[in-house]
DNA sequence: TATAGTAATGGAAACGTTTGCACAGGAGGT
DNA sequence: ACCTCCTGTGCAAACGTTTCCATTACTATA
């Protein structure tokens, strides 16, 4: 715990601190002999540079900030998040970046957290996962010209780096799958309407219905919130009406799984009585009973590419794209027929 | 992005930088008038202190390190982890601490990551989640006298702060539940034998069987690894033997859910033909079909209390316990009868 | 042989804070 | 009127790096 500094290394190696610094940063004009001396001293003393001091002068921290949005309780329950994080860490750590995590319970806390990190010069770039449209943070970061990336919400700011799926297309494809299986009475469980992803998936759904000439009964649009609050009643109403859907598209696999549970409790069989499809392809989609037909959105890739392109931008790489779309693919399982 | 410093604030407020610093840190001997002047200047300039500079001199970073262990692929798939993280963030952010995340793919990377954080003076304390017993990192941290907390592995180092469940007791209780339901032929799906938690849960299981005078057929001990590799075959062997268990205790809910899936595929009904219990009580335990009888280990609390006690220690609080046990409770659902 | 150029290194300032010490000025005690 | 003590504030050093500039000692060129 002796707090060995660059000076100690310098002394042991018999050189100046500047030289040690140069060895560390692989400066070209260091003689082979000196380099070795310094390296030896470093390992002998088990030297690790003080990142704070380093960042203070170099103005770079090799750290990426991540503020978990205030709707994150859902996100956290949802295995989606940890898989995204896994992808982010994989790329970041490989490039010797760390992740600095903060969470927020509301928008002002979120702003405060970003300010602390950004203005406090703690991070080189920041990932915004907050799925709510049009927040003040984005504008502020643009104003500061601070590097950031939007995860899961493209299209809003054309020149801003963002990584997302084409959720409209994914939803369109998934709906078409149901249609191709013979369904033309299809309901939907929608997510929080403030979320870009919810809007997109609803759009794609409607688009596919329209194209196929199916009508969408307004009674067949169920909000996830309502389902959570009063699942049994909601399901009963829907399924006991004289006109009822033969398939339901659900905005998220987690919700799809709980919907299936409700349906089974009310006495329906999946997919015999009704087909269910979800989104994301989380691990449980495969394991649940019945397994879920869904669209794999490449969760890991979403996280991975998010920090990949951010870091590419940070390191001054040219030709970094602005709008990155991670491809999706349909996964057909037992919950549809 | 003007990088406003303490000097700018000082100038605007018409005081010295030291005074500004004192206002920030709530130094007692600052006149009310000055305090106000400085505060006004700070908000006017939207000043946020440079954390790097601050940490450099104060030697504290208000950051807690978290190195995700190299067995973390399992952890990540497992929603356990994100719930732990949620608990950690809740407490940390509330106390104005951030979390610095690093991951490692093997033990040497793990050591390297800890070294970078600790010796690089980037964090004030570190959470070790690596569930493998007896690693070199713990010894090194003890040697450095650096604050840390062990999550999920008590008892190993008596004077080291650790937060854990009483997994032996939890497993004992859960097994007794099965016994009380009339089962006396009980199998077990064990986890990685290197993990402390696996060992503990196996111990509790055996203890309960022994106490009740049940015999444990060695054929009824299945490793999760084997199950994953060749589930169908493993299950068939087990269930088609002339002597077979009427209940199985599974080391983890995620594995329990996939075991149920295998069993159903091979043609057995749960709990009619065989009862299944799991561990942890993740969200899916309730939603899956059938829902899982399990033991709620307070995942969120595990994370919450881990950083709670670490921070208490960091802030020099007295009477911080060393071995914290988060209580568990049985949750009886549909997978048992 | 003088000159310029280059390779390798050291010295010192700077990054933005905190904090020990010094000091001005006023209050209170004698 | 003097001394002491306290309150509030400023100065300057320190934290551990990086990096610009200067310096030395060669080497190659004229």
């Amino acid at each position: 715990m002796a707090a060995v500094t660059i000076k100690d290394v310098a002394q042991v190696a018999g050189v100046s601190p500047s030289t040690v610094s140069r060895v560390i940063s692989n400066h070209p004009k260091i003689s082979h002999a000196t380099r070795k001396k310094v390296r030896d001293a470093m390992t002998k003393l088990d030297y690790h540079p003080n990142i704070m001091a380093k960042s203070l002068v170099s103005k770079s921290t090799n750290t990426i900030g991540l503020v978990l949005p205030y709707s994150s309780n859902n996100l956290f329950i949802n295995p989606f998040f940890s898989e995204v994080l896994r992808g982010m860490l994989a790329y970041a750590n490989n490039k010797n970046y760390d992740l600095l995590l903060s969470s927020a319970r509301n928008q002002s806390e979120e702003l405060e957290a970003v300010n602390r990190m950004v203005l406090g010069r703690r991070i080189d770039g920041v990932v915004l996962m907050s799925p709510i449209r049009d927040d003040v943070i984005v504008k502020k970061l643009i104003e500061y010209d601070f590097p950031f990336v939007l995860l899961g919400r493209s299209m809003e700011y054309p020149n801003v780096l963002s990584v997302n799926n084409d959720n409209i297309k994914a939803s369109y494809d998934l709906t078409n799958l149901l249609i191709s299986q013979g369904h033309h009475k299809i309901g939907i469980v929608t997510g929080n309407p403030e979320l870009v992803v919810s809007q997109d998936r609803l759009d794609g759904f409607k688009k596919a219905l329209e194209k196929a000439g199916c009508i969408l009964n307004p009674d067949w649009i169920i909000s996830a919130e309502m389902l959570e609050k009063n699942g049994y009643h909601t399901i009963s109403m829907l399924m006991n009406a004289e006109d009822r859907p033969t398939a339901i598209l659900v905005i998220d696999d987690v919700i799809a799984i709980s919907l299936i549970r409700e349906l089974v409790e009310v006495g329906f069989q999946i997919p015999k009585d009704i087909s269910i499809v979800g989104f994301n392809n989380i691990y449980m989609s495969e394991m649940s009973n019945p397994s879920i037909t869904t669209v794999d959105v490449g969760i890991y890739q979403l996280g991975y590419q998010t920090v990949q392109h951010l870091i590419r931008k940070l390191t001054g790489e040219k030709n970094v794209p602005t709008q990155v779309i991670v491809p999706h693919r349909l996964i057909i399982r037992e919950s549809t027929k």
Side-chain angles (χ1 to χ4, degrees), chain A:
Chain A
M1 208 48 192
V4 22
T5 77
I6 214 173
K7 287 182 190 168
D8 302 321
V9 177
Q11 192 165 12
V12 169
V15 299
S16 77
S18 340
T19 302
V20 176
S21 173
R22 279 186 265 254
V23 170
I24 294 171
S25 54
N26 275 317
H27 189 100
K29 301 189 191 173
I30 292 287
S31 76
H32 203 273
T34 315
R35 202 177 291 272
K36 173 148 175 39
K37 269 191 306 183
V38 172
R39 288 259 162 76
D40 288 350
M42 290 201 307
T43 51
K44 181 180 169 195
L45 299 180
D46 194 18
Y47 170 76
H48 286 254
N50 182 316
I51 315 273
M52 297 299 164
K54 177 177 181 155
S55 308
L56 181 57
V57 24
S58 73
K59 281 159 177 4
S60 90
T61 61
N62 267 44
T63 304
I64 289 179
L66 176 59
V67 177
L68 303 178
Y70 48 92
S71 62
S72 59
N73 277 8
N74 305 330
L75 275 189
F76 264 118
I77 283 177
N78 198 320
F80 183 90
F81 168 73
S82 49
E83 185 69 4
V84 165
L85 188 60
R86 195 166 74 88
M88 299 209 276
L89 273 170
Y91 192 88
N93 289 157
N94 193 22
K95 295 286 180 185
N96 284 314
Y97 276 73
D98 288 317
L99 251 42
L100 190 66
L101 242 65
S102 223
S103 72
R105 280 172 309 216
N106 53 56
Q107 190 147 16
S108 82
E109 271 192 26
E110 192 171 351
L111 179 60
E112 184 47 39
V114 171
N115 269 338
R116 234 190 19 238
M117 287 182 175
V118 171
L119 269 30
R121 304 289 183 290
R122 281 197 87 171
I123 55 176
D124 297 344
V126 62
V127 176
L128 296 184
M129 309 190 57
S130 178
I132 309 280
R133 212 184 267 279
D134 197 61
D135 49 3
V136 73
I137 298 179
V138 172
K139 281 167 191 147
K140 214 163 176 193
L141 291 174
I142 292 177
E143 179 196 328
Y144 290 156
D145 196 25
F146 190 88
F148 69 102
V149 50
L150 257 27
L151 173 48
R153 37 192 284 214
S154 324
M155 314 306 167
E156 290 172 83
Y157 305 86
N159 292 319
V160 160
L161 173 55
S162 71
V163 176
N164 199 2
N165 298 113
D166 184 345
N167 275 305
I168 298 181
K169 181 68 163 43
S171 187
Y172 182 84
D173 291 348
L174 192 53
T175 309
N176 277 336
L177 170 69
L178 289 173
I179 292 170
S180 76
Q181 287 177 336
H183 297 279
H184 55 276
K185 293 162 70 173
I186 308 177
I188 183 169
V189 174
T190 61
N192 179 345
E194 287 188 310
L195 306 191
V196 178
V197 55
S198 305
Q199 298 167 5
D200 287 354
R201 288 176 183 177
L202 180 57
D203 284 357
F205 172 69
K206 285 179 172 167
K207 221 171 109 188
L209 287 191
E210 195 169 338
K211 174 146 179 286
C214 303
I215 48 113
L216 172 56
N217 185 332
D219 293 344
W220 299 346
I221 304 181
I222 303 167
S223 82
E225 196 191 6
M226 196 183 311
L227 191 65
E228 193 173 5
K229 279 221 177 68
N230 197 345
Y232 191 89
H233 179 250
T234 309
I235 298 302
S236 303
M237 287 285 286
L238 178 74
M239 295 300 286
N240 293 325
E242 83 278 21
D243 190 27
R244 61 173 165 95
T246 64
I248 299 178
L249 179 143
V250 185
I251 209 74
D252 185 297
D253 283 344
V254 172
I255 302 172
I257 291 172
S258 65
L259 172 65
I260 288 178
R261 175 146 192 99
E262 296 281 359
L263 282 164
V264 168
E265 263 168 27
V266 181
F268 295 92
Q269 289 180 38
I270 321 294
K272 183 165 159 285
D273 300 323
I274 186 160
S275 287
I276 303 291
V277 296
F279 272 93
N280 290 355
N281 193 29
I282 60 174
Y283 178 76
M284 276 303 155
S285 313
E286 186 177 352
M287 287 307 152
S288 75
N289 180 22
S291 58
I292 313 286
T293 293
T294 187
V295 34
D296 186 323
V297 295
I299 311 179
Y300 180 92
Q301 277 302 313
L302 236 23
Y304 189 91
Q305 294 189 29
T306 294
V307 334
Q308 177 183 27
H309 291 109
L310 179 58
I311 290 179
R312 288 178 62 190
K313 205 171 165 189
L314 291 181
T315 51
E317 207 174 305
K318 270 302 149 213
N319 303 323
V320 180
T322 55
Q323 304 263 341
V324 178
I325 298 293
V326 174
H328 61 266
R329 68 181 219 281
L330 298 184
I331 310 273
I332 300 174
R333 298 211 183 90
E334 302 165 351
S335 66
T336 49
K337 75 139 202 295

